[in-house]
Amino acid sequence: MSTRVLVPSGVLGLGFDSDALRRGIAWRPDIICIDGGSTDSGPHYLGSGTSKYSRDATRAEWAALLAARAEAGVPLVLGSAGTSGTDATVEWMFAITDEIAREKGWRLRVATLSSSQPAARVAAAIGRGRVAPLAPRIGPDLSAADLHACANIVALAGAEQIGAAIRTGADVVIAGRTTDTALISALPIMNGDDAGAAWHGAKIAECGALCSTRPLSGVVGVVFDEHACTVEAFAEGARCTPETVAAHMLYENSDPFVLHEPGGHLDASRAHYEAADNRRVRITGSQWVAARSYRVKLEGARLAGYQTTILALVRSERYVRNIRTWLARLESFVKREIASRTGLVEGPDGYGIEFRAIGVDAALGLLETKPSNPSEVGVLVIVTAKSQARATDIARLVNPFLLHFPLTEDEELPTFAFPYSPAETERGPLYEFCLNHVMEIDDPMDAFGLEVRDVGDGQTR
């Protein structure tokens, strides 16, 4: 048989073309799938168990997709709910779903898939030799203390867990952390479509219309069958071409021909991309290679301290021209002052401080190769310490010197500018990733929980 999967956008909260979504619903999909998360914006969202995206934007888009689901009469599946896919963000999306259902007079059956991992479970797996690091391996072996220091640990679900949620007959599936492709591949695999095509088509469609000539339009659809898959975009003027589709195998992938998933890997080395017409592409020749064991990727984040920042604007031509010299001199001076006034020294038990020259080399630092001749420079100071109070106190110590420190000892004190008052901004807790591992499990559901609940107080579904 064939399976039609509609993907409204690369991620919930990013937006999509409403007209394209209407065309997608008219296309009569069998399921609607959308990703809800990423690690692109760093470890904070996993560590804090919060969403990177606006609640209002998320709610508005989710309401539109729930209405589309009702019109199409098919399941709606969300993966990596609330950015990080923790149990807390799954419940956050569940609450939003309930709000919308009550507002619209719906009654919906919702399956929630939990991906959060107790530290004790992972520690036990380590003891049995069932946890291994992914390349590149950095740092010492994991210990039980490392795991218990994690604010949150999640395992990435695959097609098997999403399939289990779909089989409950739920109207809506809200999943914790998943691989980007698991949502899209699950139903085609359940329906007996070609597994290689299912995983390959899922990889191409995972970011919505990024595989098309109008990447910001969002909405794409994939038809899977027993031999291949066909990808198309639904926005006005958007086209999928062999080039735009093939290029997506390079996206966020260390090998353009191999894609690793919990139960095996996709081998796209023999894939063929052919234009079905001027806007659709058919992919054949992909192969799914099953693994001998079932392994899920683990992501974990732990508290690394607290941060306070301070920003000054330097516009004096002489200081801008000599900004690196000035910053080196300022940094040395400030560290001596911190040591003499607080007794703290730079390091894990004391504090950390960074000076970044925005407009010069703030992104790359010493790796910067492009010449820069700015008329002004933003000097950003980032202070990290074990407590927020300590980080802020150090930033306040830096404050007057950032404003008035001279380039040389024999000149008048300069005056620079702070763009706001107070100059210090408390950023709160700082998290760091501490797990880049895989865990072997006997059954795909061993590390995941599945619950089905009704939401809303209406009669219609």
Side-chain angles (χ1 to χ4, degrees):
M1 64 178 297
S2 66
T3 307
R4 295 182 171 219
V5 179
L6 182 66
V7 181
S9 177
V11 67
L12 185 68
L14 188 62
F16 47 80
D17 184 317
S18 297
D19 289 338
L21 180 61
R22 283 192 286 272
R23 293 188 193 96
I25 297 303
W27 179 70
R28 301 181 66 183
D30 298 299
I31 194 168
I32 303 170
C33 300
I34 188 167
D35 188 31
S38 173
T39 58
D40 288 356
S41 296
H44 174 84
Y45 305 99
L46 175 57
S48 62
T50 58
S51 176
K52 142 183 186 174
Y53 296 101
S54 154
R55 190 184 194 278
D56 286 345
T58 299
R59 190 185 189 282
E61 290 182 22
W62 192 234
L65 294 182
L66 287 170
R69 181 220 67 82
E71 182 180 350
V74 300
L76 170 62
V77 181
L78 172 70
S80 296
T83 305
S84 58
T86 64
D87 288 355
T89 53
V90 168
E91 288 304 306
W92 182 73
M93 278 305 307
F94 181 84
I96 290 174
T97 307
D98 186 39
E99 283 179 19
I100 296 168
R102 291 177 185 277
E103 182 181 284
K104 300 292 185 182
W106 294 332
R107 186 167 186 82
L108 300 173
R109 177 152 293 182
V110 180
T112 54
L113 180 71
S114 59
S115 298
S116 289
Q117 303 299 305
R121 176 186 291 160
V122 182
I126 291 174
R128 296 195 300 271
R130 306 192 83 180
V131 175
L134 288 170
R137 180 171 181 164
I138 301 172
D141 291 338
L142 281 175
S143 67
D146 293 327
L147 297 171
H148 286 286
C150 287
N152 280 301
I153 302 172
V154 291
L156 274 67
E160 293 80 7
Q161 296 87 357
I162 297 299
I166 293 171
R167 279 192 289 271
T168 65
D171 304 301
V172 178
V173 174
I174 301 174
R177 190 72 169 111
T178 65
T179 70
D180 294 347
T181 45
L183 315 173
I184 302 168
S185 63
L187 186 60
I189 290 172
M190 288 170 57
N191 287 344
D193 297 323
D194 181 75
W199 285 110
H200 198 157
K203 170 61 182 173
I204 299 306
E206 63 173 353
C207 290
L210 199 61
C211 63
S212 79
T213 57
R214 285 194 57 197
L216 295 180
S217 58
V219 190
V220 296
V222 190
V223 179
F224 300 91
D225 59 41
E226 59 183 3
H227 302 294
C229 64
T230 303
V231 188
E232 63 181 294
F234 290 104
E236 188 71 36
R239 296 182 300 113
C240 288
T241 71
E243 291 77 14
T244 62
V245 169
H248 200 72
M249 279 301 295
L250 296 167
Y251 182 73
E252 295 184 339
N253 208 19
S254 60
D255 187 323
F257 300 113
V258 176
L259 177 69
H260 290 281
E261 293 288 338
H265 70 269
L266 168 69
D267 180 356
S269 59
R270 298 181 182 178
H272 178 67
Y273 304 84
E274 180 181 2
D277 52 35
N278 67 351
R279 49 183 296 275
R280 296 182 302 152
V281 172
R282 186 166 175 81
I283 308 171
T284 56
S286 309
Q287 293 184 314
W288 173 250
V289 182
R292 287 177 291 181
S293 61
Y294 195 89
R295 304 194 306 169
V296 291
K297 185 177 182 289
L298 299 173
E299 295 172 350
R302 64 187 172 200
L303 184 67
Y306 295 82
Q307 284 189 333
T308 300
T309 61
I310 183 168
L311 176 67
L313 304 178
V314 176
R315 193 170 175 83
S316 168
E317 182 180 352
R318 180 165 171 266
Y319 279 80
V320 168
R321 190 170 62 250
N322 295 283
I323 194 69
R324 271 289 157 218
T325 302
W326 180 69
L327 283 179
R329 176 173 153 78
L330 173 62
E331 183 173 355
S332 296
F333 175 83
V334 162
K335 288 179 180 178
R336 290 196 301 270
E337 290 295 307
I338 293 170
S340 67
R341 299 187 191 202
T342 69
L344 297 173
V345 295
E346 192 174 19
D349 294 325
Y351 71 96
I353 190 166
E354 299 176 65
F355 291 78
R356 299 187 185 180
I358 300 172
V360 179
D361 55 9
L364 298 180
L366 295 176
L367 298 177
E368 183 62 70
T369 59
K370 294 182 179 180
S372 177
N373 297 295
S375 59
E376 64 181 9
V377 176
V379 176
L380 176 67
V381 183
I382 306 171
V383 180
T384 307
K386 286 189 171 182
S387 71
Q388 189 69 71
R390 175 177 287 182
T392 299
D393 199 51
I394 292 172
R396 287 174 176 167
L397 191 157
V398 173
N399 179 318
F401 305 111
L402 188 60
L403 193 62
H404 295 301
F405 191 74
L407 183 61
T408 63
E409 293 183 3
D410 58 352
E411 64 182 272
E412 294 183 1
L413 295 183
T415 298
F416 303 120
F418 290 139
Y420 38 71
S421 179
E424 307 83 24
T425 302
E426 293 185 346
R427 294 193 61 246
L430 170 71
Y431 294 95
E432 63 183 4
F433 286 123
C434 55
L435 285 178
N436 188 41
H437 295 67
V438 289
M439 179 172 70
E440 182 179 340
I441 54 180
D442 293 323
D443 183 276
M445 294 303 296
D446 282 350
F448 302 88
L450 183 59
E451 183 179 3
V452 180
R453 292 172 279 176
D454 287 344
V455 300
D457 52 9
Q459 299 299 316
T460 61
R461 297 175 64 181

